[in-house]
C-alpha cells in the first residue's frame, strides 16, 4: 500500500513538472519525459500496472544517458542548495544542473518501477 501511495505522489510531482515547462526553451522533450513518468507512476499507483518492465527500463536508460551526458558540465560547479534558491532560471549553469538532477532522478525512479513490475506476478498485457 505504501508503494502505491508513493507512486501516486510521484505521478502528481511529474504532472507538476509538466505544467512548469510552459516557459522552457525546449519544452517538448521534457514534457514527453515527465508525462511518461506521470503515466507509469499513475498506472503503478492503481495496483497491478499493465505495462511491461521494459517500458520504464528504456525510459530510465534514456534518462540516465542523457543525464550523464550533462553531468560533466555541472559537476563541482553548482552546489546542491543552488538548485532550490530560485524557481526562475537565473543562470544557465543552475538550469543545466536542475535538468541533470531531474534526469538522474527519473532514471532511478524508472528503475524502481521496472523492478517493481518484474517482481509483480501479474502478466503484462
Amino acid at each position: 500500500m505504501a508503494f502505491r501511495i508513493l507512486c501516486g505522489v510521484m505521478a502528481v510531482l511529474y504532472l507538476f513538472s509538466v505544467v512548469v515547462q510552459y516557459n522552457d526553451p525546449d519544452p517538448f522533450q521534457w514534457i514527453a519525459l515527465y508525462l511518461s513518468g506521470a503515466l507509469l507512476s499513475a498506472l503503478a499507483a492503481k495496483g497491478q500496472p499493465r505495462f511491461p518492465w521494459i517500458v520504464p527500463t528504456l525510459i530510465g536508460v534514456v534518462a540516465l544517458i542523457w543525464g550523464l551526458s550533462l553531468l560533466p558540465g555541472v559537476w563541482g560547479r553548482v552546489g546542491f542548495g543552488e538548485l532550490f534558491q530560485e524557481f526562475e532560471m537565473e543562470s544557465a549553469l543552475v538550469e543545466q544542473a536542475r535538468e541533470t538532477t531531474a534526469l538522474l532522478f527519473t532514471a532511478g525512479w524508472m528503475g524502481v518501477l521496472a523492478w517493481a513490475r518484474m517482481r509483480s506476478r501479474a502478466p503484462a498485457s
Side-chain angles (χ1 to χ4, degrees), residues 82-83 86-89 94-102:
E82 292 177 75
L83 300 178
E86 301 287 335
F87 278 114
E88 296 83 23
M89 188 178 98
V94 170
E95 180 67 14
Q96 186 175 3
R98 288 177 181 165
E99 291 174 345
T100 303
T101 303

Side-chain angles (χ1 to χ4, degrees), residues 71-89:
L71 190 60
V74 297
W75 187 262
R77 298 175 65 195
V78 178
F80 187 73
E82 292 177 75
L83 300 178
F84 307 102
Q85 287 178 346
E86 301 287 335
F87 278 114
E88 296 83 23
M89 188 178 98

Side-chain angles (χ1 to χ4, degrees), residues 3 6-7 56 107-117:
F3 181 70
L6 177 60
C7 289
W109 180 245
M110 291 298 112
V112 168
L113 291 180
W115 176 78
R117 185 62 187 112

Side-chain angles (χ1 to χ4, degrees), residues 38-92:
L39 177 62
L40 293 178
S41 297
L43 289 171
K46 289 181 73 172
Q48 296 294 329
R50 299 290 182 207
F51 53 83
W53 64 269
I54 193 71
V55 173
T57 300
L58 290 174
I59 294 168
V61 167
V62 168
L64 181 63
I65 292 169
W66 187 5
L68 290 176
S69 75
L70 298 177
L71 190 60
V74 297
W75 187 262
R77 298 175 65 195
V78 178
F80 187 73
E82 292 177 75
L83 300 178
F84 307 102
Q85 287 178 346
E86 301 287 335
F87 278 114
E88 296 83 23
M89 188 178 98
E90 296 293 324
S91 155

Side-chain angles (χ1 to χ4, degrees), residues 7-28:
C7 289
V9 168
M10 291 302 298
V12 170
L13 291 174
Y14 275 114
L15 286 175
F16 175 74
S17 297
V18 168
V19 170
V20 298
Q21 294 305 309
Y22 71 92
N23 65 347
D24 200 85
D26 54 352
F28 299 112

